[in-house]
Amino acid sequence: LNRIKASGLKLRFCTNETQATREKFVKKLQGMGFDISVAEVTAPAPAACRILKERSLRPHLLVHNDLVPEFAEIDKANPNCVVIGDAAENFTYANLNEAFRVLIGMEKPVLISLGRGRYYKETDGLKLDVGAYMKALEYACDVQAEVVGKPAKTFFESALAEMGVSPQQAIMIGDDIVNDVGGAQRCGMRALQVRTGKYRPCDENHPHVKPDAYVNNLAEAVDMILQQL
């Protein structure tokens, strides 16, 4: 990261992290030695809050407890939509059923999902992500979720707007073949797939998404980008 910043390139961290506020997320990364600030992070919850305010929506939240502070300024009384994030242990039958009841009781159900990832990798293995539960609510309520976060085009576009660059001037580096690489490419960006994190060898035979290049790790991606300057 220091090499990228020293080169004068603009940098944005596009995350689908919805288990913690940006402040907490950044503090964790800083503790690991990463030079990163909240202003450099594009995350789903603030993007969802903008939508909620613009459309006068009052959410029923099915999110991780640690994410709730991001919605502090949003009216949540008498909900007229459901917002779902990676709720982890909060994904109980009772909580899912409560969200289902809110949606099914609406004339025109509105479901906003903070991402559509299928799974992610933690130190103790792979974990189901928000997309699996989003699909359950879509199916039960015959509704199509509005996705905020990767791979939504508007999410990548907001990161580009914050940096003041066009898609053609930007490169996405990620470990998720669909949400990182596919999402960025659909937006007109180039994308590198790292063979770390949730990457699996079968990603290299993906039927729809072909990264612009594969790299073994982030350092190799930085080398490749800096060589092209």
Side-chain angles (χ1 to χ4, degrees), residues 184-206:
Q185 286 178 335
R186 272 204 310 281
C187 197
M189 296 161 68
R190 283 170 292 169
L192 304 178
Q193 164 100 10
V194 283
R195 293 188 178 105
T196 55
K198 72 194 288 187
Y199 160 84
R200 297 164 84 202
C202 62
D203 290 345
E204 306 212 14
N205 302 316
H206 196 278

Side-chain angles (χ1 to χ4, degrees), residues 53-199:
K53 283 176 180 170
E54 280 166 15
R55 288 162 54 184
S56 302
L57 290 170
R58 301 178 304 278
H60 169 87
L61 298 176
L62 177 51
V63 300
H64 198 282
N65 292 345
D66 291 344
L67 192 72
V68 173
E70 290 273 21
F71 296 89
E73 292 173 25
I74 301 290
D75 181 9
K76 295 175 276 291
N78 190 20
N80 57 1
C81 75
V82 167
V83 170
I84 184 174
D86 178 16
E89 274 69 32
N90 276 355
F91 278 136
T92 61
Y93 176 78
N95 287 349
L96 266 172
N97 205 52
E98 196 182 348
F100 158 72
R101 283 177 172 171
V102 171
L103 281 173
I104 206 78
M106 294 176 194
E107 201 178 315
K108 281 190 178 167
V110 176
L111 174 60
I112 294 172
S113 186
L114 306 179
R116 53 175 300 165
R118 292 179 296 170
Y119 56 86
Y120 56 94
K121 191 174 185 181
E122 287 277 15
T123 45
D124 59 347
L126 298 176
K127 303 275 180 87
L128 275 176
D129 202 354
V130 60
Y133 299 95
M134 175 196 90
K135 286 288 179 191
L137 290 175
E138 280 187 334
Y139 179 64
C141 302
D142 197 20
V143 61
Q144 180 117 35
E146 299 174 42
V147 178
V148 181
K150 300 178 290 187
K153 204 174 176 189
T154 50
F155 190 69
F156 287 106
E157 284 169 348
S158 66
L160 291 166
E162 285 163 18
M163 291 190 289
V165 299
S166 69
Q168 292 73 27
Q169 294 172 298
I171 294 179
M172 175 74 192
I173 306 166
D175 65 348
D176 187 315
I177 186 80
V178 173
N179 294 308
D180 293 338
V181 176
Q185 286 178 335
R186 272 204 310 281
C187 197
M189 296 161 68
R190 283 170 292 169
L192 304 178
Q193 164 100 10
V194 283
R195 293 188 178 105
T196 55
K198 72 194 288 187
Y199 160 84

